[in-house]
Amino acid sequence: MKMTVIGTGYLGAVHAACMAEIGHEVLGVDNDEAKTAALASGRTPFFEPGLQELITRGIDSGRLRFTTSLEQAARFAGLHFLCVGTPQCPDGPGADLRQVDAVVDGLAPHLLPGALIVGKSTVPVGTAERLTARLRAAGAPTAHLAWNPEFLREGHAVADTLQPDRLVFGTASADAEKVLSEVYAPLIRSGIPCVATDTATAELVKMAANSFLATKISFINAMAEVCDAAGADVTVLAHAIGYDNRIGRPFLNAGLGFGGGCLPKDIRAFRARATELEVGSAVAFLSEIDEINLRQRRRTVDLTSRLAGGSVTGRRIAVLGAAFKPDSDDIRDSPALAVAAQLHREGALVRVHDPQALENARAAWPQLDYASRVDKACEGADVVLHLTDWAEYRALDPDALTPLVCRPRLLDARNSLNPDVWTRAGWQYAALGRLGALSHPSSDAPVSASG
């Protein structure tokens, strides 16, 4: 089947490559000429495990091409996947839909009769209905809108596209549902569950899923605060309650909290849209979820100060991690960089390492110091912070780092290193939710990564 994928960022590039991988003829579209040229030459402009190989295979097979022309895209096929960004509005918590609107406006005059536009971007409920009216007003009376939300985890996006937990088709007609069933036929035949519904429910499914995940993460981080006050161990608490199949163990990992381009802005946009629908009180709890998440950053800064002897001014701090999560080079709303930047503001000498995100971090925060190797980042450090849970960091040998640091002090803000290994090597080990004597916060003010 011929199709276009409009927007070739973390979502669109993966979707385009995976659709070509399962046999479709795909034209990727983006208004960023440098990104389009890179993809057309077989180079991925960001890090995502497995994507480079898929892009190469798609181009070599002739099933995957790229362009900057929306007009060419509209005439290439009657099926268009919309994968552009929906960031937070610059002046409020709602979703900024200008890119979505611009694509629909650009396509409308050139669409083939009966064209189907399928949204994958995360949007407020009611967007498909609004865009349908926009298409009609722009002179595309036979075009249709559907919504097929994505549920990708950066670092696992290829597998999450080719072997998803479920497919959701939000459509307004049996014909649109049939088209989507044909697109995903190989996945459906393999037994992937498929939920067919209306567009409004499909839009809400993604917002609800992200809100639930954010709630679960912030819940265990709230429990970490209580554990610190009570002298309890949040990792054991999470393990114990996780045996209950009504609760489950995944996403009960206390630590620095969530970031990235999805969860933070999505829960804020959901809250804003619910307020517009006059049901804001139904999701008012999301404000506290957001606040708990941001508070973990402040608590990490405060615990670093305690480990450094009461102040970070003039102290050298090694920061292990810049990406918002492992297996990605994405630094959008990165908790690790938010902490690094705040420590810098408070007078610390911060040196950052990350296996993939150094270039992006350096561009966003040139004030910080960077090291291409972990040992260089740790040289002379008064405190070492583990802020992004890369496998490389979990495999570190503390005995090898001890001669390099000024003082062997570790803050494991992801609660994923083995404290026994580090303490046996002579390190002072601290982690949120596990050492109450060290982790009482001195301030509840959130820390932002913007700068």
Side-chain angles (χ1 to χ4, degrees), residues 81-122:
F81 282 96
L82 188 55
C83 299
V84 296
T86 54
Q88 185 174 328
C89 285
D91 57 353
D96 185 344
L97 300 179
R98 285 178 293 181
Q99 294 182 61
V100 173
D101 291 349
V103 168
V104 169
D105 292 346
L107 285 173
H110 311 291
L111 287 170
L112 299 176
L116 175 63
I117 299 174
V118 182
K120 292 197 71 68
S121 305
T122 303

Side-chain angles (χ1 to χ4, degrees), residues 331 337 341 345 360-370 448-451:
I331 63 165
L337 275 182
R345 294 186 195 104
N360 291 340
R362 187 179 284 111
W365 285 100
Q367 310 94 309
L368 302 178
D369 192 14
Y370 296 91
S448 171
S450 62

Side-chain angles (χ1 to χ4, degrees), residues 164-180:
D165 292 329
R166 75 292 205 191
L167 294 164
V168 176
F169 300 159
T171 65
S173 70
D175 287 344
E177 183 182 336
K178 181 180 178 182
V179 169
L180 287 173

Side-chain angles (χ1 to χ4, degrees), residues 41 56 111 113 137 158 178 195 252 270 334 421:
S41 66
T56 300
L111 287 170
V158 170
K178 181 180 178 182
V195 178
L252 285 180
F270 193 13
S334 165
V421 171

Side-chain angles (χ1 to χ4, degrees), residues 78-424:
L79 174 62
H80 309 278
F81 282 96
L82 188 55
C83 299
V84 296
T86 54
Q88 185 174 328
C89 285
D91 57 353
D96 185 344
L97 300 179
R98 285 178 293 181
Q99 294 182 61
V100 173
D101 291 349
V103 168
V104 169
D105 292 346
L107 285 173
H110 311 291
L111 287 170
L112 299 176
L116 175 63
I117 299 174
V118 182
K120 292 197 71 68
S121 305
T122 303
V123 295
V125 61
T127 298
E129 182 179 7
R130 182 181 65 82
L131 292 178
T132 298
R134 197 177 184 101
L135 280 171
R136 300 288 179 267
T142 64
H144 303 277
L145 258 295
W147 225 263
N148 168 220
E150 54 86 13
F151 303 99
L152 307 186
R153 299 164 297 164
E154 286 187 36
H156 304 272
V158 170
D160 286 346
T161 302
L162 295 175
Q163 297 146 359
D165 292 329
R166 75 292 205 191
L167 294 164
V168 176
F169 300 159
T171 65
S173 70
D175 287 344
E177 183 182 336
K178 181 180 178 182
V179 169
L180 287 173
S181 296
E182 291 174 0
V183 169
Y184 292 105
L187 280 63
I188 295 171
R189 284 196 299 269
S190 72
I192 302 299
C194 184
V195 178
T197 184
D198 55 88
T199 57
T201 302
E203 291 163 338
L204 278 173
V205 165
K206 177 56 187 284
M207 286 295 196
N210 277 2
S211 295
F212 187 86
L213 294 176
T215 300
K216 199 170 182 182
I217 295 167
S218 284
F219 170 82
I220 200 62
N221 283 334
M223 293 304 98
E225 290 193 52
V226 176
C227 285
D228 284 336
D233 189 328
V234 74
T235 63
V236 177
L237 182 151
H239 189 59
I241 67 175
Y243 278 116
D244 189 328
N245 60 18
R246 296 169 300 173
I247 297 172
R249 184 61 181 83
F251 285 86
L252 285 180
N253 297 315
L256 187 48
F258 57 81
C262 293
L263 288 188
K265 62 98 174 173
D266 286 351
I267 63 172
R268 295 164 194 158
F270 193 13
R271 202 170 68 238
R273 180 57 176 149
T275 299
E276 291 174 353
L277 295 171
E278 300 184 350
V279 288
S281 59
V283 294
F285 68 94
L286 291 177
S287 295
E288 183 61 22
I289 297 305
D290 198 8
E291 176 58 30
I292 291 169
N293 185 60
L294 292 176
R295 194 159 64 238
Q296 292 301 94
R297 305 177 186 191
R298 181 69 251 176
R299 295 182 71 231
T300 300
V301 171
D302 289 339
L303 182 49
T304 303
S305 295
R306 290 176 180 272
L307 287 171
S311 172
V312 296
T313 302
R315 301 291 192 181
R316 182 163 294 285
I317 309 297
V319 170
L320 304 186
F324 87 93
K325 64 175 294 184
D327 299 313
S328 174
D329 63 354
D330 193 348
I331 63 165
R332 290 176 294 175
D333 198 15
S334 165
L337 275 182
V339 168
Q342 184 61 28
L343 289 169
H344 171 77
R345 294 186 195 104
E346 295 184 12
L349 307 174
V350 180
R351 185 177 294 150
V352 181
H353 174 269
D354 190 279
Q356 293 292 338
L358 280 191
E359 184 178 342
N360 291 340
R362 187 179 284 111
W365 285 100
Q367 310 94 309
L368 302 178
D369 192 14
Y370 296 91
S372 59
R373 292 173 10 205
V374 171
D375 57 348
K376 292 298 182 182
C378 292
E379 281 184 355
D382 293 287
V383 183
V384 175
L385 306 185
H386 175 225
L387 303 187
T388 306
D389 192 23
W390 287 91
E392 173 179 331
Y393 300 151
R394 294 198 299 273
L396 286 173
D397 178 0
D399 287 318
L401 293 182
T402 300
L404 302 177
V405 300
C406 180
R407 296 174 179 84
R409 297 167 175 169
L410 171 73
L411 171 53
D412 179 12
R414 291 300 178 181
N415 265 309
S416 63
L417 304 181
N418 188 326
D420 293 336
V421 171
W422 288 82
T423 54
R424 279 198 303 267

